[in-house]
Amino acid sequence: MLLLTVVVVVPIAAVAFARSGKGLEELGKGQFSIDRDDDLGSGMTASDAASAADRDRADEVRQMLEAADFRSQARGEGRIDVEREIERLLAGEEPTATSSGRAGARSGSEAGDGSGGPGRTGGQDPPEVGDPHPTMETGVRAEVRQLVIANNERRERRGEAPLDVETEVERRMKEWG
């Protein structure tokens, strides 16, 4: 029975595939497709396309920062200087502790009591003097620090003693690289 099904279905599928021809080549191409090649063919040069992409990127960054500013205000935190942050992000600078006071880290007010708790910081640490890779290493270190702080908050909620932030950051940095 299985052999009969295969003998009948395979030739029918092969004929249907062979007759589809141009239909398979046109699949996914149309006026609503994203990857159209005719965008540059309508009088748009490569530099026009690049500037349009830059404008789109700047618009998306602005939307992201305005939303972050709105959420920050809703939590009762300080405002974000959207224009300065747009310039900094589009220039490719790394987040610092001075850039609007919010480098993706939690502030002390989010911890609940406003004090930030033991070993907690409100932002990222500035690059250390003599650090060979001040942007990459400091950024990774700041993310690891945020992770350790979040783990400490969970430990405290469970009634466990918090870990020393600096010791745990150093241990994880050695462990990962």
Side-chain angles (χ1 to χ4, degrees):
M1 187 67 173
L2 180 63
L3 185 62
L4 179 64
T5 304
V6 170
V7 170
V8 172
V9 170
V10 169
I12 293 173
V15 169
F17 181 73
R19 295 185 77 204
S20 64
K22 191 135 174 108
L24 288 177
E25 292 174 12
E26 294 295 320
L27 190 64
K29 296 180 182 175
Q31 69 182 30
F32 298 115
S33 76
I34 294 173
D35 297 329
R36 294 191 328 199
D37 294 331
D38 63 341
D39 286 343
L40 291 178
S42 62
M44 183 181 278
T45 64
S47 64
D48 292 341
S51 66
D54 288 342
R55 281 192 309 271
D56 288 345
R57 181 172 181 239
D59 289 342
E60 290 174 0
V61 169
R62 177 178 297 283
Q63 290 173 0
M64 175 195 67
L65 289 172
E66 287 174 349
D69 183 40
F70 179 79
R71 289 190 307 271
S72 176
Q73 288 178 16
R75 287 189 302 260
E77 298 173 356
R79 293 198 59 147
I80 297 174
D81 185 357
V82 175
E83 294 302 321
R84 189 177 77 205
E85 286 295 305
I86 288 172
E87 290 173 11
R88 185 187 60 76
L89 289 172
L90 293 180
E93 295 177 19
E94 291 290 323
T96 63
T98 59
S99 65
S100 75
R102 295 184 38 82
R106 291 182 177 200
S107 68
S109 63
E110 289 179 312
D113 62 356
S115 67
R120 294 194 184 122
T121 59
Q124 294 180 342
D125 290 337
E128 297 174 13
V129 176
D131 191 358
H133 305 289
T135 56
M136 181 68 160
E137 181 76 18
T138 306
V140 171
R141 184 173 295 278
E143 288 186 31
V144 170
R145 179 182 310 283
Q146 290 173 8
L147 178 67
V148 170
I149 290 169
N151 286 341
N152 272 348
E153 290 173 358
R154 284 192 291 275
R155 290 176 64 88
E156 288 174 357
R157 283 194 301 265
R158 289 191 309 250
E160 299 175 5
L163 302 173
D164 180 55
V165 174
E166 292 304 318
T167 306
E168 187 66 11
V169 167
E170 288 303 317
R171 185 189 70 79
R172 290 187 183 195
M173 291 298 289
K174 288 178 185 173
E175 177 182 309
W176 291 333

